[in-house]
Amino acid sequence: MAELEIIGVPFSNFVWAVRACCEAKGVAYTLNPARPHSPEVSKIHPFGKIPAMRHGDVTLFETRAIIGYIDAVFPGPKVLPQEPVAMAKAEEWLSLINTTIDQVCMRQFIVPIMFGKAPREQVAPAVLALQKQVAWLDGALAGEFALPMGFSAVDADLVPILTYINMQPEGAAAIAAAPNVAAYLKRLLAHPAMVASAPPPRPAAA
Ligand SMILES: N[C@@H](CCC(=O)N[C@@H](CS)C(=O)NCC(=O)O)C(=O)O
């Protein structure tokens, strides 16, 4: 089978999610640590975002599409449920994470602080929104988690975002006030798929 190439810097939360799914399935891949808007990425993603993927003649962009392709084409444990209700629940979570939680936690909070060096007061609205999201997650993770698969694409998608916000005092405080989220993050961060795909320490100026 052709070589699978995951394209994108490893400290991207979405690149981490795709790599975690590969690790969970035992799928071999090459990581091409290209930055957003680099020629390798822009050849595939119309707006230069990461991750992108190449597998033989197949190129893909968008995390959800890449994970779906890998889960369908490669052997190994499924990271997306097959049963209709569980599948719809997973899609519900993935959509929520990719469109709403990522927007607040990564685009409006982590990226301005860590990459843009934005002053703290500039991200105050995002902190309020993040606190609401983490509080909601705490309730959602309280009962029986909707996806009893041991490890799924939902975990791969959510854990990197929670990890990044936990590195900042405002995010760490929100997680500390949410015991179910804190326990979930601790448990999932120890999962071999998350450990094997974890990004190296972030470069000083990224
Ligand atoms: N909807 C895309 C979002 C990808 C995305 O936002 N990637 C970030 C890095 S985590 C990126 O490339 N940012 C650069 C930019 O938006 O210009 C997906 O699910 O893959």
Side-chain angles (χ1 to χ4, degrees), residues 36-148:
H37 309 288
S38 59
E40 297 101 301
V41 173
S42 296
K43 243 184 265 167
I44 298 176
H45 195 295
F47 306 112
K49 292 180 193 272
I50 55 172
M53 186 213 84
R54 188 186 302 280
H55 183 226
D57 292 339
V58 180
T59 56
L60 284 171
F61 55 87
E62 290 291 316
T63 304
R64 173 64 187 85
I66 295 170
I67 289 174
Y69 174 83
I70 291 169
D71 208 27
V73 164
F74 289 91
K78 290 285 177 200
V79 293
L80 289 162
Q82 309 294 294
E83 186 277 319
V85 175
M87 178 174 57
K89 276 283 163 201
E91 294 294 358
E92 180 183 67
W93 275 80
L94 290 169
S95 183
L96 185 77
I97 295 164
N98 289 350
T99 63
T100 304
I101 296 179
D102 171 77
Q103 275 305 313
V104 165
C105 293
M106 296 303 299
R107 301 317 124 195
Q108 295 168 25
F109 177 62
I110 289 296
V111 172
I113 287 179
M114 288 177 80
F115 297 89
K117 311 271 182 262
R120 241 51 201 190
E121 57 272 18
Q122 196 178 304
V123 297
V127 171
L128 288 179
L130 171 159
Q131 286 165 345
K132 281 191 193 154
Q133 292 186 347
V134 172
W136 176 81
L137 276 172
D138 203 45
L141 295 172
E144 190 184 333
F145 188 37
L147 303 163

